[in-house]
Amino acid sequence: MVLLRVLLEEEGFTPFSINTGLIFWTIVVFGILLALLGRYGWPAILKSVEERERRMQQQLDEAERARAESARLLEEHKRLVAAARTEAQEMVAKARAVAEKEREVLLARARKDIEAEKEKAILALRQEAVDLSIAAASKLIEATLDTEANRRLVSEYLASLEAGGGRQR
């Protein structure tokens, strides 16, 4: 720095003066630096920039593939959910139909059982009425009658009463 100051003071250097020797060496050093950078620096810089660009393009491609795959999976998921919902609704409808049919079968069976029990009760009551009638008639006439014939007569009488629409008194 001191040497530069001494040189500047001896030659009468001002900030606006032109020094052709300094310009020449500046251009030579700049040219050498430019040649070295062109030979060794730029290829390395360009290679790293191209590598970075290639990696970014790969990441963009992968992101696009992932987006497309996610959209496909989302659509498939929606389709599966809709199919499952439809299947569940069909199953519920079938279960309701089966339950309704089973209820009707059970009701029909219950009605049939009730009717059978009613018929059994009526037959039992008729039998009891026949037995009571025969016993009463036997006591009245104090004679032993043929039980089967008497039962048949009383059963026919009771059947005629039912067919006639009511009892006669």
Side-chain angles (χ1 to χ4, degrees):
M1 187 86 109
V2 174
L3 180 62
L4 184 59
R5 190 179 296 155
V6 170
L7 286 174
L8 291 177
E9 289 176 1
E10 286 179 7
E11 294 184 15
F13 186 77
T14 64
F16 298 108
S17 63
I18 297 176
N19 184 348
T20 54
L22 184 61
I23 292 174
F24 172 75
W25 289 111
T26 303
I27 291 174
V28 169
V29 170
F30 181 75
I32 293 171
L33 183 62
L34 190 60
L36 288 174
L37 281 177
R39 175 84 173 159
Y40 301 108
W42 287 116
I45 292 172
L46 286 176
K47 183 180 175 185
S48 66
V49 167
E50 287 171 353
E51 179 65 25
R52 182 171 183 226
E53 183 179 333
R54 187 185 57 77
R55 276 185 284 140
M56 289 174 69
Q57 187 61 41
Q58 284 178 346
Q59 289 174 347
L60 286 174
D61 292 343
E62 287 176 15
E64 180 61 28
R65 281 192 299 272
R67 187 198 63 75
E69 180 67 14
S70 342
R72 185 189 64 79
L73 289 174
L74 180 63
E75 287 302 316
E76 183 178 340
H77 176 71
K78 286 180 181 179
R79 183 182 54 78
L80 289 175
V81 166
R85 184 174 291 129
T86 303
E87 185 178 338
Q89 289 173 349
E90 288 173 2
M91 289 173 68
V92 167
K94 285 179 183 177
R96 283 185 182 153
V98 167
E100 182 65 27
K101 188 174 182 180
E102 190 65 29
R103 184 178 68 84
E104 289 174 5
V105 167
L106 288 174
L107 283 175
R109 189 180 304 156
R111 285 185 185 123
K112 183 179 173 185
D113 290 346
I114 290 170
E115 191 62 35
E117 289 297 319
K118 179 180 161 186
E119 289 298 321
K120 284 181 188 175
I122 289 173
L123 287 175
L125 284 175
R126 282 184 187 163
Q127 189 65 34
E128 190 67 30
V130 167
D131 289 343
L132 287 175
S133 299
I134 291 173
S138 293
K139 293 239 182 212
L140 284 176
I141 59 173
E142 293 182 17
T144 306
L145 303 172
D146 182 7
T147 356
E148 187 59 39
N150 290 332
R151 282 179 199 246
R152 187 174 41 80
L153 286 173
V154 173
S155 293
E156 288 173 2
Y157 177 70
L158 287 175
S160 70
L161 286 178
E162 277 184 13
R167 289 188 171 165
Q168 297 173 352
R169 290 192 188 207

Short mmCIF file of all heavy atoms in Angstrom, two decimals, residues 89-112:
data_model
loop_
_atom_site.label_atom_id
_atom_site.label_comp_id
_atom_site.label_asym_id
_atom_site.label_seq_id
_atom_site.Cartn_x
_atom_site.Cartn_y
_atom_site.Cartn_z
N GLN A 89 -76.81 -51.80 1.66
CA GLN A 89 -78.22 -51.49 1.52
C GLN A 89 -79.00 -52.69 0.99
O GLN A 89 -80.11 -52.97 1.44
CB GLN A 89 -78.42 -50.29 0.59
CG GLN A 89 -77.97 -48.98 1.21
CD GLN A 89 -78.00 -47.83 0.22
OE1 GLN A 89 -78.15 -48.02 -0.98
NE2 GLN A 89 -77.84 -46.61 0.73
N GLU A 90 -78.39 -53.42 0.03
CA GLU A 90 -79.04 -54.62 -0.48
C GLU A 90 -79.17 -55.67 0.61
O GLU A 90 -80.22 -56.33 0.73
CB GLU A 90 -78.24 -55.19 -1.66
CG GLU A 90 -78.33 -54.37 -2.92
CD GLU A 90 -77.40 -54.86 -4.01
OE1 GLU A 90 -76.70 -55.89 -3.79
OE2 GLU A 90 -77.38 -54.25 -5.09
N MET A 91 -78.12 -55.82 1.41
CA MET A 91 -78.17 -56.80 2.50
C MET A 91 -79.25 -56.44 3.51
O MET A 91 -79.99 -57.31 3.99
CB MET A 91 -76.81 -56.90 3.18
CG MET A 91 -75.75 -57.58 2.32
SD MET A 91 -74.11 -57.54 3.04
CE MET A 91 -74.31 -58.60 4.45
N VAL A 92 -79.36 -55.15 3.83
CA VAL A 92 -80.39 -54.71 4.77
C VAL A 92 -81.77 -54.96 4.19
O VAL A 92 -82.68 -55.44 4.88
CB VAL A 92 -80.19 -53.21 5.12
CG1 VAL A 92 -81.40 -52.64 5.83
CG2 VAL A 92 -78.96 -53.04 5.98
N ALA A 93 -81.93 -54.67 2.89
CA ALA A 93 -83.23 -54.89 2.25
C ALA A 93 -83.57 -56.38 2.24
O ALA A 93 -84.72 -56.76 2.52
CB ALA A 93 -83.21 -54.33 0.82
N LYS A 94 -82.58 -57.23 1.93
CA LYS A 94 -82.83 -58.67 1.94
C LYS A 94 -83.17 -59.15 3.34
O LYS A 94 -84.07 -59.98 3.52
CB LYS A 94 -81.60 -59.42 1.42
CG LYS A 94 -81.43 -59.33 -0.07
CD LYS A 94 -80.19 -60.08 -0.52
CE LYS A 94 -79.96 -59.93 -2.01
NZ LYS A 94 -78.72 -60.60 -2.45
N ALA A 95 -82.45 -58.64 4.33
CA ALA A 95 -82.71 -59.04 5.72
C ALA A 95 -84.12 -58.62 6.13
O ALA A 95 -84.83 -59.39 6.80
CB ALA A 95 -81.67 -58.42 6.66
N ARG A 96 -84.52 -57.43 5.72
CA ARG A 96 -85.88 -56.99 6.04
C ARG A 96 -86.92 -57.89 5.37
O ARG A 96 -87.92 -58.26 5.97
CB ARG A 96 -86.08 -55.55 5.60
CG ARG A 96 -85.44 -54.55 6.51
CD ARG A 96 -85.75 -53.14 6.11
NE ARG A 96 -85.07 -52.21 7.00
CZ ARG A 96 -84.70 -51.01 6.67
NH1 ARG A 96 -84.95 -50.55 5.46
NH2 ARG A 96 -84.10 -50.22 7.53
N ALA A 97 -86.66 -58.23 4.10
CA ALA A 97 -87.60 -59.10 3.38
C ALA A 97 -87.67 -60.47 4.04
O ALA A 97 -88.76 -61.03 4.21
CB ALA A 97 -87.18 -59.23 1.92
N VAL A 98 -86.52 -61.01 4.41
CA VAL A 98 -86.50 -62.32 5.07
C VAL A 98 -87.22 -62.24 6.41
O VAL A 98 -87.99 -63.14 6.77
CB VAL A 98 -85.04 -62.82 5.24
CG1 VAL A 98 -84.96 -64.00 6.18
CG2 VAL A 98 -84.45 -63.18 3.89
N ALA A 99 -86.97 -61.18 7.15
CA ALA A 99 -87.63 -61.01 8.45
C ALA A 99 -89.14 -60.90 8.28
O ALA A 99 -89.91 -61.50 9.06
CB ALA A 99 -87.08 -59.78 9.17
N GLU A 100 -89.57 -60.15 7.28
CA GLU A 100 -91.01 -60.00 7.02
C GLU A 100 -91.63 -61.35 6.65
O GLU A 100 -92.69 -61.71 7.14
CB GLU A 100 -91.24 -58.97 5.91
CG GLU A 100 -92.69 -58.69 5.61
CD GLU A 100 -93.43 -58.04 6.76
OE1 GLU A 100 -92.81 -57.35 7.58
OE2 GLU A 100 -94.66 -58.25 6.86
N LYS A 101 -90.94 -62.08 5.79
CA LYS A 101 -91.44 -63.39 5.37
C LYS A 101 -91.50 -64.35 6.56
O LYS A 101 -92.48 -65.08 6.74
CB LYS A 101 -90.53 -63.95 4.28
CG LYS A 101 -91.05 -65.20 3.63
CD LYS A 101 -90.16 -65.62 2.48
CE LYS A 101 -90.70 -66.85 1.78
NZ LYS A 101 -89.86 -67.25 0.67
N GLU A 102 -90.45 -64.32 7.37
CA GLU A 102 -90.41 -65.18 8.56
C GLU A 102 -91.53 -64.81 9.54
O GLU A 102 -92.16 -65.69 10.12
CB GLU A 102 -89.04 -65.05 9.24
CG GLU A 102 -88.79 -66.06 10.32
CD GLU A 102 -88.72 -67.48 9.81
OE1 GLU A 102 -88.34 -67.72 8.65
OE2 GLU A 102 -89.09 -68.39 10.58
N ARG A 103 -91.78 -63.52 9.67
CA ARG A 103 -92.86 -63.08 10.56
C ARG A 103 -94.20 -63.59 10.04
O ARG A 103 -95.04 -64.07 10.82
CB ARG A 103 -92.88 -61.55 10.64
CG ARG A 103 -93.91 -61.00 11.62
CD ARG A 103 -93.84 -59.49 11.69
NE ARG A 103 -94.26 -58.83 10.49
CZ ARG A 103 -95.53 -58.56 10.17
NH1 ARG A 103 -96.50 -58.93 10.96
NH2 ARG A 103 -95.81 -57.94 9.05
N GLU A 104 -94.39 -63.50 8.72
CA GLU A 104 -95.65 -64.00 8.15
C GLU A 104 -95.79 -65.50 8.34
O GLU A 104 -96.87 -65.99 8.66
CB GLU A 104 -95.71 -63.64 6.66
CG GLU A 104 -95.91 -62.17 6.40
CD GLU A 104 -95.81 -61.81 4.93
OE1 GLU A 104 -95.68 -62.74 4.08
OE2 GLU A 104 -95.85 -60.61 4.61
N VAL A 105 -94.68 -66.23 8.17
CA VAL A 105 -94.71 -67.68 8.37
C VAL A 105 -95.04 -68.00 9.82
O VAL A 105 -95.86 -68.89 10.11
CB VAL A 105 -93.35 -68.31 7.95
CG1 VAL A 105 -93.24 -69.74 8.43
CG2 VAL A 105 -93.19 -68.24 6.45
N LEU A 106 -94.40 -67.28 10.73
CA LEU A 106 -94.68 -67.51 12.16
C LEU A 106 -96.12 -67.19 12.51
O LEU A 106 -96.76 -67.91 13.29
CB LEU A 106 -93.71 -66.69 13.02
CG LEU A 106 -92.26 -67.18 13.02
CD1 LEU A 106 -91.39 -66.20 13.80
CD2 LEU A 106 -92.14 -68.58 13.61
N LEU A 107 -96.62 -66.09 11.94
CA LEU A 107 -98.03 -65.75 12.21
C LEU A 107 -98.96 -66.82 11.66
O LEU A 107 -99.94 -67.20 12.33
CB LEU A 107 -98.37 -64.39 11.59
CG LEU A 107 -97.87 -63.16 12.35
CD1 LEU A 107 -98.17 -61.90 11.55
CD2 LEU A 107 -98.52 -63.08 13.71
N ALA A 108 -98.69 -67.29 10.46
CA ALA A 108 -99.54 -68.34 9.87
C ALA A 108 -99.47 -69.60 10.71
O ALA A 108 -100.51 -70.25 10.97
CB ALA A 108 -99.10 -68.62 8.43
N ARG A 109 -98.27 -69.95 11.14
CA ARG A 109 -98.11 -71.14 11.98
C ARG A 109 -98.84 -70.95 13.31
O ARG A 109 -99.50 -71.88 13.80
CB ARG A 109 -96.63 -71.41 12.24
CG ARG A 109 -96.40 -72.74 12.94
CD ARG A 109 -94.95 -73.02 13.19
NE ARG A 109 -94.17 -72.97 11.97
CZ ARG A 109 -92.87 -72.72 11.91
NH1 ARG A 109 -92.20 -72.49 13.02
NH2 ARG A 109 -92.24 -72.69 10.76
N ALA A 110 -98.73 -69.75 13.89
CA ALA A 110 -99.42 -69.49 15.16
C ALA A 110 -100.93 -69.58 14.97
O ALA A 110 -101.63 -70.16 15.81
CB ALA A 110 -99.02 -68.12 15.70
N ARG A 111 -101.43 -69.02 13.86
CA ARG A 111 -102.88 -69.10 13.61
C ARG A 111 -103.32 -70.55 13.44
O ARG A 111 -104.36 -70.97 13.94
CB ARG A 111 -103.23 -68.30 12.35
CG ARG A 111 -103.21 -66.81 12.58
CD ARG A 111 -103.68 -66.05 11.35
NE ARG A 111 -103.54 -64.62 11.57
CZ ARG A 111 -102.85 -63.81 10.81
NH1 ARG A 111 -102.22 -64.28 9.74
NH2 ARG A 111 -102.78 -62.52 11.08
N LYS A 112 -102.50 -71.31 12.71
CA LYS A 112 -102.81 -72.72 12.49
C LYS A 112 -102.80 -73.48 13.82
O LYS A 112 -103.71 -74.28 14.09
CB LYS A 112 -101.77 -73.33 11.53
CG LYS A 112 -102.03 -74.76 11.17
CD LYS A 112 -100.96 -75.25 10.20
CE LYS A 112 -101.11 -76.74 9.95
NZ LYS A 112 -100.03 -77.23 9.11
#
